[in-house]
Amino acid sequence: MHFKEARGILSPQNGMNIFRGCTHGCIYCDSRSDCYQITHDFEDVQIKSNAPQLLEAALRKKRKKCMISTGAMCDPYIHLEEQLCHTRKCIEIIDKYGFGVAIQTKSSRILRDMDLFKSIHRKAKCVVQLTLTTHNEVLCKIIEPAVSTTKERFAVLEAMRDEGIPTIVWLGPLLPFINDNEENMMGILDYCIRAKVYGIIVWGMGMTLRSGSREYFYRQLDRHFPGMAKKYRQKYGDSYVITSDNSSSLMRLFCETCEAHGIIHDRDELLHYCNSFPDLQMEQLSLW
């Protein structure tokens, strides 16, 4: 790891990245793509040393409360967070100033900060989002080698449910010829049903590959699935969108299952939910 002072912390949409790089080792990670201009080794995580100070200064200046989101680019609960507590410091500031938080991770380390999420949700709004890729625990340790397994993430969903904190699952990516099958889809959906998730976001039945992430992914395919990278090159070439041959049947199964169990699966609706700060005054009036 290495530290660097940042000039800013919030995007125009109030998104926040505390780290640049990751140690979870997911073989399909889009954040490795050249377009993000991470010039250092991806596992040599760059830590924005002044992130808490920048965040506090930014929130002090805001005239209206809003949702602060984090985790879309780099996971806020990488291994280093156990010692650094950098993410926790930022969540403490969000709680202190009465803002909401929408946080996305693959790590059960998020449970450490349950006290803050409960406090934020009492005063404003907290939405916890987890990525689920495969129901198979053995496969999980291959394609997501250094992160909490799917069962451990399911336990996080259950814990959030028990505390009344809404959860959203990002389902995917579905890697053609690897986990793009009905058994995997139903295994993940069963977890979502049992955890009573608020919604599930799907960007398509497949994955995306760009320069930088594609090369890493193919190297990992050669390592773990001999011959698979050649199969991808022959079928998809340098395509950005990699669509599963099972896309239609999987999407139909996904939609039908969500509708049968009252799980929201409209992507735009869920993204709006994550980004919309509650009208607390109207909610208080409705109690009367």
Side-chain angles (χ1 to χ4, degrees), residues 120-173:
I120 290 171
H121 199 60
R122 281 195 301 268
K123 296 181 290 187
K125 180 179 172 182
C126 173
V127 183
V128 170
Q129 304 160 80
L130 274 86
T131 299
L132 300 184
T133 305
T134 177
H135 181 256
N136 185 310
E137 292 288 286
V138 175
L139 181 60
C140 180
K141 296 304 291 183
I142 295 173
I143 65 176
E144 301 165 337
V147 69
S148 302
T149 69
T150 306
K151 281 186 179 179
E152 291 168 336
R153 284 175 247 173
F154 170 56
V156 172
L157 292 172
E158 288 189 306
M160 296 296 168
R161 175 203 64 199
D162 294 345
E163 295 294 347
I165 296 172
T167 55
I168 290 175
V169 163
W170 292 64
L171 196 160

Side-chain angles (χ1 to χ4, degrees), residues 46-108:
Q46 183 183 97
I47 300 159
K48 297 179 182 178
S49 57
N50 56 338
Q53 293 82 2
L54 288 173
L55 179 62
E56 183 155 23
L59 297 190
R60 278 177 178 167
K61 294 177 182 177
K62 284 191 176 291
R63 296 181 179 180
K64 287 184 64 176
K65 297 290 193 293
C66 64
M67 298 293 289
I68 307 298
S69 61
T70 188
M73 177 70 179
C74 294
D75 200 306
Y77 288 101
I78 56 176
H79 301 80
L80 295 170
E81 175 60 18
E82 292 182 7
Q83 288 77 42
L84 290 172
C85 293
H86 226 44
T87 295
R88 182 173 177 87
K89 291 171 188 174
C90 289
I91 298 171
E92 286 174 338
I93 292 165
I94 292 170
D95 182 36
K96 174 182 175 182
Y97 287 92
F99 284 73
V101 66
I103 191 163
Q104 185 176 351
T105 186
K106 295 177 186 172
S107 175
S108 61

Side-chain angles (χ1 to χ4, degrees), residues 7-282:
R7 288 181 290 181
I9 192 64
L10 292 181
S11 73
Q13 294 76 37
N14 298 306
M16 171 179 66
N17 283 303
I18 303 168
F19 309 114
R20 281 176 63 81
C22 187
T23 52
H24 285 161
C26 302
I27 69 172
Y28 52 76
C29 181
D30 178 69
S31 296
R32 293 179 182 271
S33 301
D34 295 341
C35 62
Y36 299 119
Q37 299 180 330
I38 295 180
T39 56
H40 54 85
D41 184 78
F42 194 72
E43 282 75 20
D44 178 20
V45 177
Q46 183 183 97
I47 300 159
K48 297 179 182 178
S49 57
N50 56 338
Q53 293 82 2
L54 288 173
L55 179 62
E56 183 155 23
L59 297 190
R60 278 177 178 167
K61 294 177 182 177
K62 284 191 176 291
R63 296 181 179 180
K64 287 184 64 176
K65 297 290 193 293
C66 64
M67 298 293 289
I68 307 298
S69 61
T70 188
M73 177 70 179
C74 294
D75 200 306
Y77 288 101
I78 56 176
H79 301 80
L80 295 170
E81 175 60 18
E82 292 182 7
Q83 288 77 42
L84 290 172
C85 293
H86 226 44
T87 295
R88 182 173 177 87
K89 291 171 188 174
C90 289
I91 298 171
E92 286 174 338
I93 292 165
I94 292 170
D95 182 36
K96 174 182 175 182
Y97 287 92
F99 284 73
V101 66
I103 191 163
Q104 185 176 351
T105 186
K106 295 177 186 172
S107 175
S108 61
R109 293 183 188 91
I110 193 172
L111 292 174
R112 179 201 64 186
D113 297 332
M114 180 70 84
D115 59 325
L116 293 174
F117 299 134
K118 289 165 62 176
S119 177
I120 290 171
H121 199 60
R122 281 195 301 268
K123 296 181 290 187
K125 180 179 172 182
C126 173
V127 183
V128 170
Q129 304 160 80
L130 274 86
T131 299
L132 300 184
T133 305
T134 177
H135 181 256
N136 185 310
E137 292 288 286
V138 175
L139 181 60
C140 180
K141 296 304 291 183
I142 295 173
I143 65 176
E144 301 165 337
V147 69
S148 302
T149 69
T150 306
K151 281 186 179 179
E152 291 168 336
R153 284 175 247 173
F154 170 56
V156 172
L157 292 172
E158 288 189 306
M160 296 296 168
R161 175 203 64 199
D162 294 345
E163 295 294 347
I165 296 172
T167 55
I168 290 175
V169 163
W170 292 64
L171 196 160
L174 294 178
L175 314 179
F177 317 117
I178 297 175
N179 68 329
D180 61 332
N181 55 72
E182 291 191 4
E183 180 183 4
N184 183 53
M185 174 66 69
M186 284 310 304
I188 294 174
L189 290 175
D190 180 61
Y191 275 150
C192 294
I193 294 164
R194 289 161 59 189
K196 298 182 179 179
V197 302
Y198 181 84
I200 306 174
I201 291 175
V202 164
W203 288 92
M205 297 301 165
M207 63 182 303
T208 57
L209 286 174
R210 298 189 245 215
S211 176
S213 62
R214 182 185 294 109
E215 291 77 7
Y216 182 81
F217 178 62
Y218 284 170
R219 287 198 299 272
Q220 298 309 309
L221 288 185
D222 283 334
R223 178 182 175 190
H224 297 291
F225 307 95
M228 187 67 74
K230 181 179 179 180
K231 194 172 183 178
Y232 268 71
R233 290 188 182 96
Q234 290 175 339
K235 184 173 181 62
Y236 301 109
D238 291 332
S239 299
Y240 170 58
V241 178
I242 309 298
T243 302
S244 167
D245 288 344
N246 305 322
S247 177
S248 296
S249 61
L250 290 174
M251 187 61 76
R252 183 169 56 252
L253 177 62
F254 168 71
C255 292
E256 289 175 353
T257 305
C258 286
E259 289 164 10
H261 293 275
I263 298 173
I264 299 172
H265 60 284
D266 183 279
R267 189 171 64 230
D268 292 337
E269 180 180 351
L270 290 171
L271 293 175
H272 175 74
Y273 175 75
C274 287
N275 294 321
S276 60
F277 191 81
D279 189 333
L280 300 177
Q281 186 175 10
M282 290 299 296

